[in-house]
């Protein structure tokens, strides 16, 4: 077992532990912080795989964006500092079953198919090639999904402006 | 639309201009350290020069014959907003056998004084004035109650 | 000529002859970590002293002048005081998050240090996506501030943290746009490549007016991002008694304080790299003799000279301009800086495509 493998198992254990803590803690803000650590762990895994661009995107989108939004919405809710009540059995049981079956399913897949050994570099993770692929209109290009996502974001932004916009009331004398 | 853009850009340029003019002034101060006005007080005690109108405490001026100009009219006592001044009068019999009012003690409570200058303004004979001395710290509070007229002093001839 | 590259190479080969590759890496990482912490401590002392002196001279005062000659040991004495102070913790705080928050802020500041080239051949991690890595990591530091504000169980702290969050999230956009406009010119995210592309002149001179606009926007946005006056809404001593670090004392407060100054150093270093060529000496096109004279000044002197010039600029801002109100702050970003920087980015792209830069 070389240092790289040890590092992988350390990161994996870190992600799992923080992930479990995120769902078991009874304080909602702490839950968000554990989620943050879990997501940073995933970014670390990308760095371990020598994919710095994907790792940085993971940090920008999930850590800098999503978690900050979650924290903001927690700040704006009432009683956010109190302990949450214990989850009722009717919710715990189905979710435990769901995660158990998901786990079994994954183990089953791995058991039957195994991993393909990575022989040399299979893909080119540089920023140049990612950018080219993203805006490529030819074979294997991602221009259509890219544009669809940008349309979605534009619609979301317009929606936000409509919600936030104050309608000027007619002046009544 | 055009007018909007015009006001927008004039706003931006004026903002930058005003910020730059502010930076010019502070930059001037930064590059000219001779303007520094800090007094390193205990070190420069020998050469320290207080401003002319600095109000450190109230004093009564005495001339070389140990005479002052206070008639004991208590205008300053009345003018004082917080009872800093207390004038104790006595009656002297002068050469012509007349009784004349004179001060026995001009009591000044430095610990109550706010240096508001109202007593100096109220004085009809300019007997008291503000001194720039500011080193008043003492170990006993009673030492701050002072008698402003000197021992054995009397009113100057001709001051009414 | 003296070069850091040879030195590091020699250390590496000497270590390699002693132990296996993994241990060489571990030892080197430890050395680099210790050096980084030493640099942090040193920078903290120097920058706090510099800030106090600059502020004093601008306000016609003398500044610290009692401890040592010109008061240079004043900050060391302050640090000693902070270390010896009791690590006081108020009741009813979220103890775990309260203790964690200063470290999150500090570790973020340390992580950003990794891809910065301090001199020719002195770089902790030559990462290919340098600039993007910097923007990514710097977005974590806001979480440390939010955490501190929340865990303190104090209204002022929470308000300060909320303001800081809103401020950092919005000003990151225009700072990112300004950075992107230089990336567009260089065609690379690697900081080494960006510096190498400025061998015949710095981008601020080569990039015409768009580069100047980008630089101005960058310096405004990073002043806001580091929560400094005139954008110090997060601390706001006059209305929030210190904002997110109101409840912190002793060494925990010192970590926040240090992180603020380290962040200033880092954003100024990035600004120096992007607009003033990092460690690259001042070169003018084809004036070979002039360029050779400039090469004799060591590269780390160039880097620190430029960085400290930018730090001085930010301090100059702080002691000149009046503070903004929180709505004015958001107006400035969303109504002025962001539209201008978007158009500036388009203009810069045009310049880059047409090859109008020098």
């Amino acid at each position: 077992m070389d240092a790289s493998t040890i590092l992988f198992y350390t990161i994996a254990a870190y992600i799992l532990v923080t992930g479990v803590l995120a769902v078991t803690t009874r304080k909602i803000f702490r839950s968000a912080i554990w989620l943050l650590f879990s997501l940073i762990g995933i970014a670390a895994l990308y760095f371990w795989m020598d994919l710095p661009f994907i790792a940085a995107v993971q940090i920008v989108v999930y850590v800098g964006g999503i978690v900050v939004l979650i924290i903001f919405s927690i700040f704006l809710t009432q009683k956010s500092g109190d302990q949450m009540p214990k989850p009722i059995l009717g919710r715990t049981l189905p979710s435990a079953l769901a995660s158990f079956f998901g786990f079994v399913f994954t183990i089953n897949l791995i058991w039957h198919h195994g991993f393909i050994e990575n022989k040399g570099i299979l893909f080119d993770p540089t920023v140049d090639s990612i950018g080219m692929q993203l805006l490529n209109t030819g074979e294997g290009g991602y221009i259509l999904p890219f544009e669809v996502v940008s349309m979605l974001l534009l619609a979301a932004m317009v929606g936000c402006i409509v919600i936030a916009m104050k309608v000027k009331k007619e002046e009544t004398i | 639309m055009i007018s909007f853009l015009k006001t927008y850009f004039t706003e931006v340029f004026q903002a930058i201009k005003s910020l730059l003019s502010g930076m010019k002034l502070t930059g001037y101060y930064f590059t000219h350290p001779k303007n520094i006005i800090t007094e390193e007080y205990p070190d420069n005690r020998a050469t320290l020069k207080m401003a002319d109108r600095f109000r450190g405490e109230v004093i009564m001026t005495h001339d070389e014959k140990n005479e002052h100009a206070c008639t004991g009219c208590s205008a300053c006592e009345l003018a004082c907003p917080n009872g800093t001044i207390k004038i104790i009068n006595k009656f002297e019999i002068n050469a012509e056998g007349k009784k004349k009012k004179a001060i026995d003690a001009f009591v000044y409570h430095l610990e109550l004084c706010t240096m508001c200058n109202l007593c100096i303004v109220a004085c009809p004979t300019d007997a008291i004035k503000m001194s720039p001395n500011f080193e008043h710290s003492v170990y006993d509070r009673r030492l701050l109650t002072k008698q402003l007229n000197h021992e054995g002093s009397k009113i100057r001839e001709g001051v009414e | 000529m003296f070069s850091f590259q040879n030195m590091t190479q020699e250390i590496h080969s000497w270590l390699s002859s002693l132990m296996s590759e993994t241990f060489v890496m571990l030892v080197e990482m430890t050395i680099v970590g210790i050096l980084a912490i030493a640099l942090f401590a040193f920078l903290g002392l120097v920058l706090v002293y510099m800030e106090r002196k600059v502020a004093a001279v601008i306000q016609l005062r003398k500044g610290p002048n009692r401890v040592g000659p010109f008061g240079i040991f004043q900050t060391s004495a302050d640090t000693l005081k902070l270390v010896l102070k009791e690590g006081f913790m108020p009741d009813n705080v979220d103890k775990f998050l309260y203790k964690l928050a200063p470290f999150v802020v500090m570790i973020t500041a340390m992580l950003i240090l990794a891809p910065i080239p301090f001199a020719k051949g002195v770089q902790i991690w030559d990462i290919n996506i340098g600039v993007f890595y910097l923007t990514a990591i710097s977005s974590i530091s806001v979480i440390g501030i939010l955490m501190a504000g929340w865990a303190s169980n104090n209204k002022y702290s929470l308000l300060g943290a909320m303001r800081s969050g809103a401020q950092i999230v919005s000003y990151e956009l225009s700072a990112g746009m300004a950075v992107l406009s230089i990336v567009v010119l260089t065609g690379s995210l690697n900081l080494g490549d960006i510096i190498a592309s400025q061998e015949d002149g710095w981008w601020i001179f080569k990039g015409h007016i768009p580069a100047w606009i980008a630089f101005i926007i960058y310096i405004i946005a990073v002043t806001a991002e580091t929560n400094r006056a005139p954008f110090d809404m997060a601390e706001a001593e006059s209305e929030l008694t210190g904002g997110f670090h109101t409840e912190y004392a002793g060494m925990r407060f010192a970590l926040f304080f240090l992180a603020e100054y380290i962040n200033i150093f880092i954003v100024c270093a990035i600004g120096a790299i992007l607009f003033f060529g990092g460690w690259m000496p001042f070169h003018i096109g084809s004036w070979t003799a002039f360029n050779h004279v400039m090469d004799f000044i060591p590269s780390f002197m160039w880097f620190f000279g430029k960085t400290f010039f930018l730090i001085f600029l930010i301090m100059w801002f702080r002691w000149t301009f009046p503070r903004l109100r929180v709505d004015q702050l958001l107006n400035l970003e969303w109504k002025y800086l962001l539209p201008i920087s978007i158009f500036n980015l388009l203009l810069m792209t045009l310049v880059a495509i047409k090859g109008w830069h020098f």
Side-chain angles (χ1 to χ4, degrees):
Chain A
M1 196 192 253
D2 56 352
S4 182
T5 323
I6 295 173
L7 206 58
F8 170 77
Y9 281 114
T10 317
I11 296 170
Y14 168 80
I15 296 171
L16 285 178
V17 168
T18 47
V20 168
L21 279 170
V23 290
T24 51
T25 185
R26 300 251 304 279
K27 278 183 180 159
I28 185 128
F29 187 71
R30 278 200 190 183
S31 176
I33 296 299
W34 288 122
L35 177 67
L36 162 89
F37 285 144
S38 184
L39 292 169
I40 289 177
I42 291 167
L45 207 56
Y46 285 129
F47 274 123
W48 179 83
M49 286 192 269
D50 212 2
L51 297 171
F53 184 74
I54 309 292
V57 169
Q58 165 84 14
I59 290 175
V60 165
V61 173
Y62 287 98
V63 178
I66 306 270
V67 172
V68 171
L69 279 182
I70 290 175
I71 289 175
F72 257 91
S73 45
I74 290 172
F75 277 7
L76 295 174
T77 49
Q78 278 192 326
K79 291 185 184 175
S80 47
D82 299 355
Q83 288 236 333
M84 305 284 282
K86 263 198 171 150
I88 49 173
L89 197 69
R91 287 183 204 157
T92 320
L93 210 60
S95 53
L97 279 176
S99 49
F100 175 73
F101 282 118
F103 183 68
V104 168
F105 181 67
T106 319
I107 289 288
N108 186 39
L109 276 182
I110 293 170
W111 198 261
H112 282 285
H113 299 280
F115 287 109
I116 304 164
E117 203 181 332
N118 185 354
K119 292 188 185 77
I121 296 168
L122 294 176
F123 57 97
D124 183 15
T126 58
V127 185
D128 285 0
S129 63
I130 289 173
M132 287 296 180
Q133 284 268 304
L134 211 54
L135 294 180
N136 192 3
T137 47
E139 191 73 21
Y142 288 90
I143 185 74
L144 185 65
F146 182 79
E147 288 300 324
V148 169
V149 168
S150 44
M151 280 304 290
L152 181 72
L153 284 177
L154 183 69
M157 264 150 77
V158 171
C160 286
I161 292 169
V162 167
I163 291 170
M165 196 166 56
K166 274 183 202 155
V167 182
K168 270 186 188 165
K169 277 179 190 160
E170 294 288 317
E171 277 189 36
T172 47
I173 305 161
Chain B
M1 185 65 197
I2 298 294
S3 70
F4 166 74
L5 278 180
K6 206 178 152 193
T7 46
Y8 185 83
F9 282 109
T10 25
E11 253 174 46
V12 169
F13 279 112
Q14 272 172 356
I16 290 173
K17 209 178 127 193
S18 68
L19 291 182
L20 283 180
S21 68
M23 283 178 75
K24 199 178 139 199
L25 184 70
T26 43
Y28 173 80
Y29 287 146
F30 186 78
T31 48
H32 294 71
K34 67 171 192 299
N35 285 333
I36 286 176
I37 52 173
T38 308
E39 300 276 359
E40 289 179 70
Y41 162 58
D43 295 345
N44 69 352
R45 208 168 155 210
T47 58
L48 185 68
K49 171 132 184 17
M50 295 309 294
D52 291 339
R53 292 193 291 171
F54 181 81
R55 300 172 191 166
E57 62 173 340
V58 176
I59 55 162
M60 183 177 284
T61 48
H62 288 71
D63 58 12
E64 60 279 1
K65 286 188 281 183
N66 203 13
E67 288 175 339
H68 55 77
C70 182
T71 59
C73 67
S74 2
C76 48
E77 190 178 345
L78 291 171
C80 186
N82 43 356
T84 305
I85 297 169
K86 199 93 205 156
I87 292 174
I88 302 164
N89 279 321
K90 61 178 180 187
F91 286 95
E92 277 180 344
I93 299 166
N94 62 1
E96 293 155 19
K98 267 182 169 176
K99 276 215 288 190
K100 198 183 174 195
K101 199 163 80 172
I103 51 167
D104 186 23
F106 188 107
V107 182
Y108 171 55
H109 296 270
L110 180 57
E111 76 271 27
L112 295 176
C113 184
T114 60
M115 318 295 165
C116 67
N117 210 34
L118 286 175
C119 51
I120 281 89
V121 173
C123 185
T125 54
D126 290 337
I128 47 176
K129 67 168 191 179
M130 279 287 180
S131 129
N133 174 33
F134 60 93
E135 289 165 328
H136 297 311
S137 45
V138 285
Y139 285 104
D140 190 342
R141 193 172 59 176
R142 282 170 297 183
L143 295 174
L144 290 171
T145 307
K146 296 177 179 180
Q147 187 182 339
L148 290 190
N149 55 330
H150 292 177
E151 206 56 47
S153 64
K154 60 179 199 292
I155 189 164
R156 195 178 297 145
E157 286 298 316
V159 177
E160 288 298 328
Chain C
M1 208 168 156
F2 174 76
S3 160
F4 286 104
Q5 217 152 10
N6 301 341
M7 218 161 70
T8 47
Q9 284 291 337
E10 242 161 68
I11 291 172
H12 181 76
S13 55
W14 177 66
L15 280 175
S16 302
S17 66
L18 290 179
M19 48 189 110
S20 73
E21 207 182 327
T22 313
F23 282 100
V24 169
M25 205 164 111
L26 282 177
V27 169
E28 281 174 359
M29 277 159 79
T30 319
I31 293 172
V32 167
I34 290 168
L35 284 180
I37 291 171
L39 178 76
F40 267 39
F42 180 70
L43 276 177
L45 295 180
V46 169
L47 289 177
V48 174
Y49 174 74
M50 181 179 163
E51 167 108 281
R52 292 180 63 174
K53 271 291 185 194
V54 169
V57 179
I58 282 179
Q59 296 172 345
L60 303 180
R61 293 185 286 115
K62 281 201 161 164
N65 58 5
R66 294 282 134 181
V67 193
F70 298 105
I72 47 171
F73 298 123
Q74 180 68 56
T75 45
S76 321
D78 288 347
T79 315
L80 192 66
K81 184 206 84 173
L82 281 171
V83 171
L84 294 177
K85 249 183 152 179
E86 183 192 356
F88 181 76
M89 198 195 294
D91 283 342
N92 298 323
V93 297
D94 194 330
K95 286 195 177 58
F96 172 68
L97 295 178
Y98 181 86
K99 285 178 185 164
L100 187 69
F103 293 103
V104 170
V105 175
M106 200 63 207
I107 289 169
T108 318
M110 289 179 90
L111 281 174
I112 305 177
L113 210 63
I116 290 178
F118 293 98
K120 198 172 183 174
V122 182
Q123 196 175 7
I124 296 172
W125 186 18
D126 187 11
I127 185 171
N128 223 353
I129 53 155
V131 177
F132 188 48
Y133 172 84
L134 293 173
T135 23
I137 299 292
S138 65
S139 64
I140 301 181
S141 74
V142 61
I143 289 173
I145 290 173
L146 289 172
M147 222 190 258
W150 169 264
S152 296
N153 191 24
N154 177 331
K155 287 190 190 73
Y156 294 130
S157 301
L158 191 59
L159 272 175
M162 292 283 277
R163 284 181 178 190
S164 171
Q167 184 177 328
I168 291 179
V169 167
S170 21
Y171 277 81
E172 230 165 43
L173 287 171
S174 48
M177 291 281 177
V179 169
L180 264 187
S181 58
I182 294 300
V183 171
V184 164
L185 277 179
T186 326
S188 170
L189 290 167
N190 190 330
L191 288 172
D193 290 351
I194 290 176
I195 292 172
S197 71
Q198 305 183 52
E199 202 178 350
D200 53 342
W202 304 340
W203 278 125
I204 193 142
F205 300 125
K206 289 202 296 178
H208 299 300
I209 295 167
W212 275 98
I213 298 174
F215 174 67
I216 292 170
I217 288 171
Y218 179 80
I219 205 91
I220 294 174
V222 297
T223 314
E225 256 193 87
T226 46
N227 287 331
R228 281 178 64 83
F231 303 103
D232 66 338
M233 286 291 101
E235 288 166 31
E237 276 148 5
S238 45
E239 64 245 41
L240 293 183
T241 65
F244 60 90
H245 58 57
T246 305
E247 300 288 352
Y248 282 85
M251 216 41 216
R252 293 200 187 100
F253 168 73
L255 281 180
F256 276 121
F257 199 59
L258 187 60
E260 183 190 331
Y261 281 96
I262 299 300
N263 278 328
I264 293 163
F265 174 78
I266 286 166
V267 295
C268 289
I270 298 166
I273 288 163
L274 292 174
F275 297 97
F276 295 94
W279 49 260
M280 194 59 87
F282 183 65
H283 283 171
I284 296 178
S286 52
W287 298 13
T288 343
F290 178 78
N291 292 352
H292 272 299
V293 172
M294 284 293 156
D295 282 341
F296 272 104
I297 301 173
S299 54
F300 72 90
M301 294 256 297
W302 279 107
F303 175 77
F304 281 101
K306 289 166 191 174
T307 309
F308 273 86
F309 168 71
L310 288 183
I311 292 172
F312 169 70
L313 201 63
I314 284 185
M315 287 179 180
W316 193 357
F317 288 164
R318 171 164 184 177
W319 300 108
T320 304
F321 300 147
R323 292 172 58 230
L324 276 79
R325 222 168 42 214
V326 76
D327 60 323
Q328 291 169 335
L329 184 112
L330 293 176
N331 270 354
L332 175 71
E333 162 64 17
W334 294 102
K335 289 190 182 163
Y336 294 93
L337 291 186
L338 192 63
I340 293 175
S341 58
I342 287 173
F343 279 106
N344 189 51
L345 184 60
L346 286 176
L347 197 63
M348 197 57 127
T349 320
L350 192 69
V351 168
I353 291 169
K354 291 278 184 185
W356 285 340
H357 58 86
F358 294 115

